[in-house]
Amino acid sequence: VTNVDKAVDAMLELRFLSKRPDYGWLSEETPDNPEYRVGKARTFMLDPIDGTAALIAKVPQWTISVGILDGNRAYAGVIYNPMTDEMFTGVVGHGAWHNGRPMKVSDAASLEGARMIGQKSRFTDKRWPTPWPKMDVIERQSIAYRMALVAAGMGDATLLFGWKHEWDIAGGAAIIEAAGGSVTDLRGDPLRFNNENPRVPGVAAAGAGLHPLLIERTKAL
């Protein structure tokens, strides 16, 4: 954690809650109190800096990620990459935009040659029952940035393995769904946010043609 993480967190908390004092709040840099968010009609859920190691190294792969929950569902999101000046926004049922221009997920329907945003080592692991076909695996440090690139059609899919904090994925989940994509856990079940322990068991995100092919492989995990 850097002073930048804490400064952005304090700024966003002041800006957002001064305008929406009735909203719940969960940030990576703020001590969690479930009483302030569980059961709220709307909740801000955010990571002030997602990819702090990239920020420190001055690699343009860190983002500011903000999600708004409607009950237990990710409803709206904003992901901003300051170094590339890329703004990804989306509201479920109303559309998604990349720097103000409409965007949508890709229509890829085959794993062969797919642009998978993730860690290369995950897909070459010998423990997979069936080896993955040849894919173009694109590595990005920020989880939120990976999800934003899928929403914009700059990647075809992303898989996030293991338990993930809700603040890392709430904004991206809303934006991908707003862009016409599917976002579930690795079993194919819908993501439920605002849990008392704010984590979800992995994420599979892609367009409608590719998402079932991901789940065929990951549900065995």
Side-chain angles (χ1 to χ4, degrees):
V1 177
T2 69
N3 60 337
V4 178
D5 296 72
K6 294 178 179 179
V8 173
D9 179 69
M11 181 270 289
L12 294 177
E13 184 175 10
L14 176 63
R15 295 279 184 92
F16 290 166
L17 293 184
S18 65
K19 299 292 186 181
R20 297 289 187 271
D22 57 322
Y23 278 35
W25 177 266
L26 177 64
S27 166
E28 182 177 18
E29 308 309 336
T30 304
D32 180 30
N33 185 342
E35 293 182 4
Y36 293 153
R37 58 178 179 82
V38 175
K40 293 277 189 177
R42 291 279 172 89
T43 301
F44 290 115
M45 193 163 284
L46 64 150
D47 191 346
I49 301 293
D50 184 43
T52 302
L55 165 68
I56 295 170
K58 299 182 180 179
V59 175
Q61 296 180 19
W62 55 277
T63 59
I64 299 167
S65 178
V66 179
I68 296 178
L69 305 185
D70 184 20
N72 300 115
R73 181 187 183 193
Y75 170 71
V78 177
I79 295 171
Y80 181 59
N81 183 327
M83 292 189 71
T84 60
D85 195 25
E86 290 177 284
M87 179 75 81
F88 305 86
T89 59
V91 181
V92 175
H94 297 276
W97 301 267
H98 177 213
N99 287 351
R101 297 182 177 181
M103 66 179 185
K104 63 183 184 68
V105 297
S106 83
D107 57 1
S110 173
L111 289 173
E112 182 77 35
R115 297 167 298 168
M116 176 68 72
I117 303 180
Q119 295 171 289
K120 294 180 181 179
S121 61
R122 293 288 193 179
F123 301 98
T124 57
D125 193 302
K126 301 298 184 182
R127 290 173 292 180
W128 286 104
T130 303
W132 288 80
K134 185 176 180 180
M135 302 182 295
D136 180 15
V137 182
I138 305 164
E139 296 192 334
R140 293 292 183 269
Q141 292 192 39
S142 164
I143 287 175
Y145 196 31
R146 297 180 202 177
M147 298 182 78
L149 293 175
V150 171
M154 298 179 190
D156 299 316
T158 191
L159 288 172
L160 307 175
F161 297 96
W163 289 88
K164 298 302 176 188
H165 294 292
E166 294 181 12
W167 54 69
D168 287 328
I169 62 172
I175 296 172
I176 290 174
E177 186 175 348
S182 298
V183 188
T184 66
D185 66 19
L186 299 181
R187 296 185 296 267
D189 295 328
L191 296 179
R192 182 183 186 277
F193 291 89
N194 232 351
N195 298 291
E196 186 169 347
N197 181 3
R199 300 191 305 164
V200 298
V203 176
L210 201 56
H211 187 267
L213 304 181
L214 301 179
I215 301 302
E216 281 182 12
R217 290 168 176 264
T218 60
K219 64 183 179 182
L221 298 178

